[in-house]
Amino acid sequence: MVLAIEWLDDPAPMIRLIDQTLLPGTERYVDVTTVDVLVESIRHLVIRGAPALGAAGALGVALAMAQAGRDKWDAQRLDREIDRIRDARPTAVNLAWGVSQVRESVPSGIGTVLGLARQLVAGDEAANRRLSRHGADWILAHVARDKIRVVTHCNSGALATSAWGTGYGIIHELNQRGRLGLVYADETRPLLQGARLTSWELLQDGIEHVVQADSAAASTILRGLVDVAIIGADRIAANGDTANKVGSVGLALACQRAKIPFVVAAPSSTVDLAVARGDDIVIEERDEDEVLCFAGLRTAPAGARGFNPAFDVTPHDLISIVVTEHGVAETATNTDPDLLATTAG
Ligand code: MRU
C-alpha cells in the first residue's frame, strides 16, 4: 500500500509525501523540510483528504520544530508557523485537529511531539480499519443483494488517510468478504480525485469498477444500478450534517429518491462537536481557473468567471448512517442534536 505521508529522520528530519497532483501518471515523492513547502503542498493538494491532513498537521508541528532549531526561530515565530500549517485549508477539521493534538507538547521537545504524531498516524489506520468493519456489517445487514453495487465520490482511500481508507475502506472490506459488486467511481470535477486516485487504488486492489462523469451519478442511482452510496467526510457537525467533496449532496438527494442508503464514513477525528450544524462549516473556495480550465487549457471563454466551492454540505436527514471507529449513528431517523457525541473522539 502506498503511503500518502510518512516521517523520515534521515538524512534530515522530513515529511515524505507522494505528489497526488501527478497521480496516476507519475509516482513522485516530495521531501518536505520546511513549513513553507508543507503549506504549499497542502494548498495545492500534493497531500489531501481529511485524515491525511490530520497526519500532516501533527507531523507538521514536529517539522516546524526541526526548522525552528535550524533557523533559530523564537517561540513566537514557531507559534506563527504552526498556525500557518493549521490554517492552510479550512474545511477538513482534521488538519486543525492534528495540530491541536500535539501542540501543547511543544515545550517537551521534538521527540515527544513526534512520538504523539506517530501515535496519531497509527491510530488513524486502526480507526479506519475498525470503521470499515462496522460499515460493512451495517450494509450487509440492510442491503439484500449478494454482490453489493456501490457508488462513491472523490477519494477516501489510503491516499486520503494515514492508511487503508474510510469510505474506500468499507468498499475494500466488502470486497474482502466476497460481497462487492461493481463500483461506480465519480470522476470528481474539477480536480478528478475519483478518476485519478480512486480508480488507481481500485485497480491496485483488483476491484472491478467504472469511472463515470459526476453528472451521470444521479441517473445511475435512479436507474437502479447501485445499492448504496459510500463517501468519506471532511467535517461532520454535531447534528450529523456533513461536509465532503462538492457533488456529495447531489448523490444523497438521488439516494433518498431511490430509497437506497447513503453512508458517510470517517474516523471520529472528523466529527466536530463544536460546530452545531452544517451551515456553520466554512466551505473552501478554490481558484476559479480550476473550473474554467481543463488539464491546463482554458475551456471557458475569456471573460467568463468561475465559481469553485471545493465542498458541499449534506444535511443529516439525507444521510442514512455516519460510521466511525466507535460504531454506527443512524442520522436519517434521528434528529437528536447530540447524536454524534457517542461516536466522537
Ligand atoms: O479536496 P480534497 O481532495 O482534500 O477533498 C477530499 C474529500 O472530500 C474526501 O472525500 C474527504 O476528505 C474524505 S477522505 C477520507
Side-chain angles (χ1 to χ4, degrees):
M1 190 191 302
V2 168
L3 292 179
I5 180 165
E6 64 182 318
W7 179 270
L8 298 181
D9 287 308
D10 273 337
M14 67 174 79
I15 294 174
R16 176 164 287 177
L17 306 174
I18 187 163
D19 187 343
Q20 298 195 31
T21 67
L22 301 178
L23 290 173
T26 304
E27 280 181 48
R28 183 178 302 158
Y29 289 86
V30 180
D31 288 340
V32 180
T33 56
T34 66
V35 171
D36 279 352
V37 174
L38 181 62
V39 168
E40 281 313 295
S41 300
I42 293 171
R43 290 203 179 122
H44 289 118
L45 275 54
V46 171
I47 176 138
R48 45 148 300 280
L53 291 175
L59 292 172
V61 174
L63 187 84
M65 292 172 77
Q67 187 175 1
R70 279 196 316 271
D71 295 358
K72 312 268 180 289
W73 293 345
D74 62 16
Q76 286 77 18
R77 172 79 190 270
L78 175 59
D79 234 30
R80 286 199 303 276
E81 298 293 332
I82 293 172
D83 284 349
R84 287 177 62 222
I85 298 169
R86 180 195 62 196
D87 299 337
R89 291 184 78 192
T91 303
V93 67
N94 305 62
L95 179 58
W97 174 85
V99 168
S100 72
Q101 291 300 298
V102 304
R103 190 173 198 161
E104 275 179 14
S105 301
V106 167
S108 307
I110 190 168
T112 305
V113 167
L114 194 53
L116 287 171
R118 284 189 157 130
Q119 270 176 35
L120 181 147
V121 169
D124 182 54
E125 175 175 359
N128 295 338
R129 288 182 183 272
R130 197 166 312 133
L131 73 85
S132 297
R133 291 193 289 273
H134 289 313
D137 288 347
W138 188 93
I139 289 168
L140 292 175
H142 289 80
V143 177
R145 181 179 289 272
D146 180 33
K147 300 282 186 186
I148 313 271
R149 302 161 306 168
V150 176
V151 62
T152 190
H153 192 72
C154 196
N155 172 262
S156 59
L159 288 169
T161 64
S162 302
W164 184 253
T166 59
Y168 186 98
I170 298 178
I171 294 171
H172 203 159
E173 179 72 23
L174 288 170
N175 189 47
Q176 289 195 338
R177 295 188 194 184
R179 297 295 305 277
L180 186 65
L182 185 63
V183 175
Y184 292 81
D186 286 355
E187 65 170 349
T188 317
R189 279 280 287 155
L191 297 180
L192 306 180
Q193 288 93 331
R196 295 187 301 105
L197 308 178
T198 301
S199 180
W200 189 67
E201 293 188 323
L202 287 163
L203 277 171
Q204 286 187 343
D205 291 329
I207 293 178
E208 192 189 357
H209 69 284
V210 288
V211 177
Q212 66 179 355
D214 300 337
S215 45
S219 169
T220 302
I221 292 167
L222 295 182
R223 287 168 66 196
L225 297 178
V226 299
D227 304 303
V228 58
I230 307 175
I231 63 162
D234 287 90
R235 191 181 298 240
I236 302 172
N239 72 343
D241 294 351
T242 293
N244 191 53
K245 180 54 57 192
V246 68
S248 300
V249 68
L251 272 192
L253 285 162
C255 287
Q256 184 194 44
R257 173 71 186 230
K259 297 189 171 52
I260 65 168
F262 184 83
V263 171
V264 169
S268 57
S269 53
T270 306
V271 178
D272 186 358
L273 294 177
V275 168
R277 59 188 64 79
D279 288 349
D280 301 329
I281 298 174
V282 176
I283 299 297
E284 176 184 7
E285 286 204 19
R286 295 184 61 82
D287 194 313
E288 63 175 6
D289 280 351
E290 289 179 355
V291 291
L292 296 174
C293 304
F294 190 81
L297 292 178
R298 176 100 186 180
T299 47
R305 290 168 50 216
F307 176 51
N308 188 16
F311 302 96
D312 61 25
V313 174
T314 301
H316 66 269
D317 59 347
L318 293 179
I319 298 169
S320 309
I321 59 166
V322 171
V323 51
T324 74
E325 71 275 24
H326 302 301
V328 165
E330 302 213 2
T331 50
T333 53
N334 188 340
T335 50
D336 179 351
D338 294 325
L339 167 76
L340 286 165
T342 51
T343 59

